[in-house]
């Protein structure tokens, strides 16, 4: 029997401008690399903010490994690493100092783990440079290094490939797949780019105008459509006609 990493029930948050997410019901199983695919303003970030407790939902609930974020928030967050919206950093700290600061919250994280996270995200050789000198892509790498520092069972990454060059995109895709296969890490990843999702994720949920349009396994999608782009256009077009 497959265990559930995330179970979302009737989750809703609508802002005054009408944007947000409405009545979201979704299950992400342990071991999934789940892609949350949709355009800007579709509700992807709002959903991630509610999953991690950064935003309070209007109604509904989220269970993380069986723990409700509304009733048992501390236990729900124990095994999560996340990077929501932009990767924030302290501009006058080096990458090493930044990760040292984050590591204070995790007693099990030692020097070797900090070095390992910098190595696998490609910033080890820049460990002594201050973050204010980093490009957008380097800040993304630092944010991901901080997110994986505690060896989380679940990683929630909001547009993790933004700002990366081709080499960076390849590296992060490879990192995601390696953590999934070697450590059993579950991923919930958002993106607006179909190609990234096709090459990275095992399951896909299409969100459009605050509604989950459809979700399916990658292999099923590609057996019925030439590409994710065709699938996405089809699902969004069908939703617009409703």
């Amino acid at each position: 029997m497959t265990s559930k990493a995330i179970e979302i029930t009737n989750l809703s948050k609508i802002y005054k401008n009408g944007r947000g997410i409405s009545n979201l019901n979704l299950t992400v199983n342990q071991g999934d690399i789940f892609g949350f695919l949709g355009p800007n303003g579709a509700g992807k970030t709002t959903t991630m903010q509610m999953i991690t407790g950064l935003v309070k939902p209007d109604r509904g609930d989220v269970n993380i490994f069986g723990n409700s974020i509304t009733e048992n928030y501390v236990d729900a967050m124990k095994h999560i690493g996340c990077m929501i919206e932009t990767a924030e950093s302290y501009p006058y700290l080096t990458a090493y100092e930044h990760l040292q600061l984050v590591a204070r919250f995790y007693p099990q994280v030692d020097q070797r783990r900090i070095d390992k996270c910098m190595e696998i995200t490609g910033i080890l050789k820049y460990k002594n440079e201050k973050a204010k000198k980093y490009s957008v892509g380097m800040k993304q790498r630092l944010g991901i290094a901080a997110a994986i520092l505690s060896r989380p069972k679940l990683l929630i990454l909001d547009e993790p490939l933004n700002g990366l060059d081709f080499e960076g995109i390849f590296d992060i895709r490879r990192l995601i797949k390696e953590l999934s296969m070697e450590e059993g890490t579950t991923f919930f990843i958002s993106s607006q780019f179909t190609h990234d999702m096709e090459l990275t994720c095992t399951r896909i949920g299409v969100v459009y105008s605050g509604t989950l349009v459809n979700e399916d396994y990658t292999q099923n999608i590609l057996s019925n459509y030439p590409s994710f782009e065709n699938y996405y256009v089809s699902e969004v077009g069908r939703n617009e006609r409703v």
Side-chain angles (χ1 to χ4, degrees):
M1 183 176 178
T2 303
S3 298
K4 299 174 182 176
I6 306 174
E7 188 174 16
I8 300 173
T9 307
N10 298 324
L11 195 65
S12 296
K13 178 70 178 182
I14 304 298
Y15 295 102
K16 291 181 180 180
N17 61 7
R19 292 183 178 177
I21 198 81
S22 179
N23 295 320
L24 177 63
N25 291 279
L26 178 66
T27 296
V28 177
N29 296 318
Q30 290 189 34
D32 279 348
I33 304 176
F34 186 86
F36 209 41
L37 175 65
N40 289 333
K44 302 187 301 296
T45 297
T46 297
T47 299
M48 291 180 156
Q49 289 173 330
M50 288 190 286
I51 291 174
T52 54
L54 298 175
V55 168
K56 184 178 179 181
D58 295 335
R59 60 181 178 275
D61 198 9
V62 180
N63 280 271
I64 308 293
F65 298 112
N67 295 296
S68 166
I69 63 167
T70 57
E71 298 176 4
N72 196 5
Y73 181 74
V74 173
D75 285 339
M77 294 296 109
K78 274 185 179 179
H79 304 292
I80 286 184
C82 64
M83 184 178 72
I84 308 295
E85 294 188 289
T86 56
E88 299 294 339
S89 58
Y90 299 99
Y92 293 99
L93 294 182
T94 65
Y96 174 71
E97 291 168 339
H98 184 276
L99 295 180
Q100 269 192 317
L101 185 62
V102 175
R104 294 174 61 187
F105 297 99
Y106 306 105
Q108 76 276 22
V109 174
D110 57 16
Q111 176 65 51
R112 287 180 298 177
R113 180 60 183 172
I114 293 175
D115 286 341
K116 180 65 174 178
C117 289
M118 288 192 290
E119 178 185 355
I120 62 181
T121 54
I123 60 173
L124 184 59
K125 60 184 177 181
Y126 308 107
K127 63 183 290 185
N128 294 318
E129 286 189 19
K130 291 183 178 180
K132 67 178 182 179
K133 297 181 180 179
Y134 279 9
S135 65
V136 173
M138 289 300 294
K139 289 178 181 177
Q140 286 289 93
R141 289 174 182 261
L142 178 57
I144 294 172
I148 66 175
L149 200 59
S150 63
R151 292 187 177 89
K153 292 164 59 178
L154 169 64
L155 265 173
I156 298 176
L157 303 176
D158 189 11
E159 304 274 5
L161 303 181
N162 274 4
L164 295 175
D165 56 18
F166 178 79
E167 182 181 3
I169 290 172
F170 180 83
D171 288 345
I172 298 306
R173 280 185 193 145
R174 181 177 59 189
L175 171 62
I176 289 170
K177 292 179 179 179
E178 286 178 355
L179 288 175
S180 175
M181 293 180 63
E182 297 174 8
E183 299 187 13
T185 308
T186 302
F187 287 85
F188 190 96
I189 305 169
S190 73
S191 180
Q192 57 182 308
F193 301 114
T194 56
H195 185 64
D196 292 337
M197 297 287 96
E198 182 176 338
L199 295 178
T200 308
C201 300
T202 58
R203 281 180 66 210
I204 292 291
V206 175
V207 61
Y208 185 77
S209 295
T211 302
L212 181 66
V213 176
N214 199 6
E215 62 88 15
D216 203 347
Y217 284 93
T218 299
Q219 60 185 16
N220 293 338
I221 295 170
L222 294 178
S223 67
N224 291 298
Y225 294 88
S227 69
F228 266 34
E229 183 176 352
N230 295 93
Y231 167 71
Y232 175 75
V233 170
S234 174
E235 291 301 318
V236 168
R238 182 169 59 85
N239 186 68
E240 287 182 327
R241 290 192 296 270
V242 173

